[in-house]
Amino acid sequence: MSMNATAEARSSELDRVLDAQAQSPELAAELFAVADLLGGQAQLRNAMGDPTVADDRRSEFATGVFGSRIGAPATAVVAAAVGLRWGSASGLVAAIDRQGVRALLGHAHAEGTLDTVEDELFRFGRTVLADQALRRALDDRSAPVALRQQLVSDLLATRANDDTVALAQRAVSATKLSFENAIEGYLTLAAATRARAIATVTVARPLAQEQKERLQAALERQLGRQVNLHVVVDPSVVGGARVQVGDEVIEGTVAGRLAAAEKQLTQ
């Protein structure tokens, strides 16, 4: 089994542990707190991820350290994560952080607000991407995380779902990813929550609801699964639509066809 396949299998195993818990913002906050603690304390992090110690012993150690400090659901997830082998101690931290994100998405799903959270995250991510000053401010590692999280809160307060705000604030604290990439990862996890694909559609003008529904139905027939449709309006595409699902791009814009024709002529 390849390293990627092994990591995916371990992630799936940990997903099942989280999915057996009642998912809530409180559970997410506790998992984030554990991830932050391990991220900031190398000695504890290395002890939890020590591959020379038996898996069950590491799980017992984690339960002993955290069991009296966090709730039973969070303890179950952390102990299970520590009992798996992630290849590195930093991999363990990332795995626990991922489950915190999934707990917020799972809560939104249970509340019937996951569509809203996805849409708000997507739109806020696009807003940040379009504003260079804001993007720099959120990705500025020299500024305190709390200050950058407060900026997110100020921008989204009263305008977004609480789970959206919590996820956007968490994206700010990512140490190895830009805010944009963290949000993209969260959207991918949101789609996986319902086994949906994410289709980003770029068009010159906003689509009418009927057009969105027809396009979504066509993509779902083609892909054989449900699709989350994210629409980006970009006048530079001139006309038609560009659809991206994962690494696959379906180019149907006038600008895209012209660019392709020009490339052929210059070859």
Side-chain angles (χ1 to χ4, degrees):
M1 184 180 291
S2 68
M3 291 182 62
N4 286 342
T6 300
E8 288 178 5
R10 288 169 181 157
S11 293
S12 295
E13 185 174 344
L14 191 56
D15 287 352
R16 289 191 288 272
V17 176
L18 179 82
D19 293 345
Q21 316 302 320
Q23 293 169 46
S24 66
E26 292 75 24
L27 171 57
E30 289 180 336
L31 292 174
F32 290 149
V34 171
D36 289 343
L37 178 64
L38 294 178
Q41 295 194 14
Q43 185 174 2
L44 180 60
R45 179 174 68 248
N46 292 333
M48 293 282 179
D50 188 350
T52 66
V53 177
D55 296 349
D56 58 345
R57 292 292 300 276
R58 295 200 312 275
S59 290
E60 291 172 3
F61 177 49
T63 300
V65 171
F66 296 112
S68 62
R69 295 174 172 82
I70 57 179
T75 300
V77 175
V78 172
V82 172
L84 295 169
R85 295 173 182 260
W86 301 98
S88 67
S90 61
L92 167 64
V93 175
I96 295 173
D97 186 82
R98 177 177 179 275
Q99 295 307 320
V101 172
R102 292 188 71 248
L104 284 172
L105 295 171
H107 175 257
H109 188 33
E111 294 291 308
T113 58
L114 186 54
D115 281 341
T116 298
V117 169
E118 283 183 284
D119 185 61
E120 290 173 345
L121 275 179
F122 176 74
R123 292 182 182 279
F124 186 57
R126 300 300 298 189
T127 297
V128 173
L129 183 61
D131 188 325
Q132 291 187 3
L134 179 57
R135 187 167 72 248
R136 285 196 298 269
L138 294 181
D139 284 334
D140 183 3
R141 299 294 193 275
S142 66
V145 171
L147 185 63
R148 289 182 281 142
Q149 289 179 327
Q150 185 59 51
L151 175 58
V152 168
S153 180
D154 291 343
L155 291 169
L156 291 177
T158 73
R159 300 185 182 91
N161 182 281
D162 288 346
D163 289 330
T164 303
V165 177
L167 286 164
Q169 288 181 317
R170 189 60 188 174
V172 164
S173 68
T175 57
K176 296 184 178 180
L177 295 173
S178 67
F179 181 83
E180 177 190 356
N181 288 337
I183 291 295
E184 287 180 0
Y186 295 175
L187 290 172
T188 298
L189 283 177
T193 299
R194 291 172 302 193
R196 290 188 173 189
I198 294 178
T200 299
V201 182
T202 305
V203 292
R205 293 177 296 278
L207 296 177
Q209 185 60 35
E210 182 182 357
Q211 292 174 306
K212 290 181 183 178
E213 291 173 356
R214 287 204 307 268
L215 178 57
Q216 183 166 350
L219 288 171
E220 289 179 349
R221 285 195 301 271
Q222 182 175 342
L223 297 172
R225 54 178 166 155
Q226 289 183 306
V227 170
N228 278 7
L229 206 62
H230 292 160
V231 179
V232 177
V233 177
D234 180 0
S236 69
V237 304
V238 184
R242 177 188 301 114
V243 180
Q244 181 167 353
V245 182
D247 294 331
E248 182 178 358
V249 177
I250 305 170
E251 180 61 78
T253 66
V254 173
R257 291 195 293 269
L258 289 173
E262 182 180 1
K263 182 177 181 180
Q264 287 183 339
L265 290 172
T266 57
Q267 286 179 343

